[in-house]
Amino acid sequence: MPKMSLTDLRRILVENAGEVEGTQLDESLLDVGFEEIGYDSLALMESAAAITDEYGVEVPDETLADLRTPRQFLEFVNSAPVVS
Amino acid sequence: MNKPVWITGVGVTAPTGLSRDEHWKATLEGRSGIAPLTRFDTSGYPSTLAGQITGFDPAAHIPKRLLPQTDISTRLALTAAAEAIENARLRPEDTTDYDMGVVTSNATGGFDFTHREFRKLWHQGPRSVSVYESFAWFYAVNTGQISIRNGMRGPGNALVAEQAGGLDALGHARRTVRKGTPIVVTGGVDSALDPWGYASHISSGRISRTTDPARAYLPFSADAEGHVPGEGGALFLVEAEESARARGVVPLAEIAGYASGFDPEPGSGRPPALRRLIEAAVADAGLRPADVDVVFANAAAVPEDDVAEARAIREVFGPGGVPVTAPKALVGRLGSGGGPLDVATAVSAFGADTIPPTGTDIEVPEEYGIDLVGARPRTARLGTALVLARGIRGFTSALLLRNPPLH
């Protein structure tokens, strides 16, 4: 399975939860909280199913609460076991 | 003490236009929004027409983050709410959040959104179903989204009473203002013109099978054979008189009277609730029937309902005693949006001293005894307007608007 990059995360969030107007998810936001960026927990849940399809990684709802920033999110996805 | 409650802003999304003014212009010209339904292939359905909103670009009105989580009905509601807020010159960001409430009505929920998620459920499995389905389908979603988008954290309610619910929302908004919330966004919007939603309209047994858009919805006609479902509605800013005065905003109308009830059980032998509710709404405004200048009829175009409505109007106002109009014949029946759209039309009528037309010449049976305003508008000084709504299975409401004296 390919590794997930910040660009991939941005694409998946925009496709599934919509674009935050006036915000481009780039390196400067790696350690900024998702809430602050404009994505709430539902936006991440909505994107999680697409991540499973694309990367074969499950992101359980209860884990999502701990993945507060893009960096933490990418680290989790890229180190989690591939299940499908 | 029942303090005056004013409408200070109006927003419309309707098959006749995407603003209050567009809608009013089309209504005066008798331009119909009823046409063959184009959103999906209707072959195989016994009916084919709808009052469809065309030319609505959601991305032009709705933040991109809200697009994946909203049904078309919610997008229309957010758009109408924005117009009403702007029309009333309210800046929600500068207003105390708990001083602004939201009361909306909805009858069919997020049909189109849900129909797509069901398709995903059966074709791709449960994991593919959007988390946003959890609220996008729900009758209260418009209240919630309007509240969140505008930072309105005062009382929030949703009322469900089919076609009557939209008037109930305005009635409850008035109550909410009188209980101390100075500003309330209220009204109703519905849309269910996807393959599943349209099928459920048809299941009511009240949808016209006529294919000619000009002949499909003829309220109070001897040829009436049902209505056409439509989408859209209207939202308002409703405000305490002292709040509007403090903001320097003039009233567009006063919600002067309101009454709501339910028909007796079929076979009980007792009359429908409508007459009693007309009298109650008029009395609630401190007026007499002779003070009512125009009636916006429920206009079911189902013969037994037309007979019952004509009788109630005739009994209260006398034969031909008040002009009756049904501009909804140009848009179809909008569920919870129907009453509010009539209220928006009445507000425009106040400003123009004009009774809007039903939009087509209708031969009303003599025995109905009502003076129906037909194809053309009628000039009249309007001090008051009575809006009637009857939902299927008995929901009935009446709302009396007063044209405020010039300030």
Side-chain angles (χ1 to χ4, degrees):
Chain A
M1 281 283 174
K3 290 287 179 194
M4 186 179 184
S5 70
L6 183 61
T7 314
D8 297 325
L9 177 59
R10 178 170 70 215
R11 173 179 50 79
I12 286 170
L13 283 168
V14 168
E15 279 172 5
N16 291 280
E19 187 182 344
V20 179
E21 260 113 339
T23 299
Q24 177 85 307
L25 185 57
D26 59 20
E27 300 284 328
S28 70
L29 297 177
L30 260 178
D31 295 305
V32 175
F34 281 114
E35 288 277 354
E36 201 179 320
I37 295 169
Y39 291 108
D40 54 18
S41 56
L42 278 180
L44 298 179
M45 282 172 71
E46 183 72 354
S47 303
I51 287 167
T52 306
D53 287 345
E54 202 167 321
Y55 295 92
V57 170
E58 297 258 20
V59 192
D61 292 352
E62 51 278 14
T63 305
L64 275 177
D66 299 326
L67 305 176
R68 295 178 189 284
T69 66
R71 187 188 303 279
Q72 288 172 356
F73 197 96
L74 289 171
E75 278 171 4
F76 175 84
V77 171
N78 288 328
S79 61
V82 170
V83 294
S84 57
Chain B
M1 175 61 198
N2 284 336
K3 293 181 186 165
V5 176
W6 289 352
I7 290 173
T8 54
V10 179
V12 167
T13 52
T16 32
L18 283 168
S19 70
R20 173 189 160 197
D21 289 343
E22 266 184 44
H23 162 69
W24 174 244
K25 193 163 181 286
T27 300
L28 283 185
E29 292 169 6
R31 254 189 290 132
S32 176
I34 292 174
L37 181 51
T38 55
R39 227 159 270 169
F40 64 94
D41 178 5
T42 57
S43 52
Y45 288 73
S47 303
T48 55
L49 302 176
Q52 228 180 171
I53 292 176
T54 52
F56 175 64
D57 174 15
H61 299 275
I62 309 293
K64 292 199 179 90
R65 272 284 281 116
L66 290 182
L67 292 176
Q69 55 179 281
T70 44
D71 178 67
I72 180 171
S73 53
T74 301
R75 295 171 181 184
L76 294 171
L78 283 165
T79 302
E83 186 192 352
I85 289 165
E86 195 190 330
N87 184 218
R89 292 193 281 119
L90 179 76
R91 293 171 54 86
E93 64 276 22
D94 298 339
T95 309
T96 306
D97 47 4
Y98 287 100
D99 283 349
M100 301 179 288
V102 185
V103 181
T104 66
S105 177
N106 183 263
T108 53
F111 252 108
D112 182 73
F113 193 102
T114 298
H115 143 77
R116 291 171 202 280
E117 295 309 316
F118 274 11
R119 179 189 293 231
K120 285 201 256 170
L121 173 65
W122 302 125
H123 289 272
Q124 293 159 249
R127 209 168 55 191
S128 69
V129 175
S130 169
V131 294
Y132 296 122
E133 174 64 21
S134 60
F135 56 77
W137 72 273
F138 187 43
Y139 307 109
V141 71
N142 295 344
T143 289
Q145 291 283 22
I146 292 168
S147 161
I148 294 166
R149 173 126 189 245
N150 298 291
M152 298 175 159
R153 306 178 80 182
N157 295 89
L159 291 110
V160 181
E162 218 271 309
Q163 182 88 13
L167 296 185
D168 294 334
L170 273 90
H172 188 66
R174 185 179 69 153
R175 194 179 300 136
T176 305
V177 170
R178 283 181 174 165
K179 283 167 80 175
T181 303
I183 289 168
V184 177
V185 170
T186 187
V189 166
D190 263 302
S191 173
L193 299 180
D194 62 284
W196 182 38
Y198 196 62
S200 69
H201 281 301
I202 290 171
S203 75
S204 71
R206 301 163 67 88
I207 305 301
S208 169
R209 299 189 173 198
T210 306
T211 53
D212 175 3
R215 303 288 306 162
Y217 181 20
L218 298 173
F220 300 110
S221 162
D223 300 331
E225 52 159 74
H227 65 259
V228 174
E231 65 182 342
L235 284 160
F236 306 90
L237 204 84
V238 164
E239 192 161 5
E241 182 180 16
E242 64 268 24
S243 166
R245 282 193 192 283
R247 298 197 307 111
V249 176
V250 295
L252 302 170
E254 180 192 346
I255 302 177
Y258 163 68
S260 182
F262 206 83
D263 283 339
E265 203 182 335
S268 72
R270 290 185 290 136
L274 187 60
R275 176 183 172 172
R276 176 171 61 83
L277 296 172
I278 293 173
E279 291 168 337
V282 171
D284 182 41
L287 299 173
R288 294 161 303 125
D291 299 320
V292 174
D293 294 324
V294 60
V295 174
F296 286 72
N298 170 66
V302 171
E304 70 175 80
D305 287 10
D306 283 353
V307 166
E309 185 174 23
R311 181 191 301 132
I313 294 170
R314 190 175 68 236
E315 285 177 355
V316 175
F317 299 99
V322 65
V324 176
T325 188
K328 60 169 65 74
L330 296 169
V331 295
R333 288 175 73 77
L334 309 187
S336 73
L341 187 66
D342 278 342
V343 170
T345 312
V347 168
S348 293
F350 283 167
D353 287 333
T354 301
I355 299 175
T358 298
T360 177
D361 271 321
I362 287 172
E363 210 166 307
V364 180
E366 190 69 32
E367 63 271 22
Y368 282 14
I370 57 165
D371 169 19
L372 188 70
V373 179
R376 288 183 211 300
R378 196 184 290 180
T379 303
R381 171 76 191 117
L382 300 174
T384 61
L386 178 68
V387 180
L388 306 179
R390 296 181 84 201
I392 49 178
R393 287 184 272 280
F395 298 101
T396 307
S397 296
L399 191 90
L400 197 126
L401 298 167
R402 183 158 32 212
N403 189 353
L406 293 174
H407 285 252

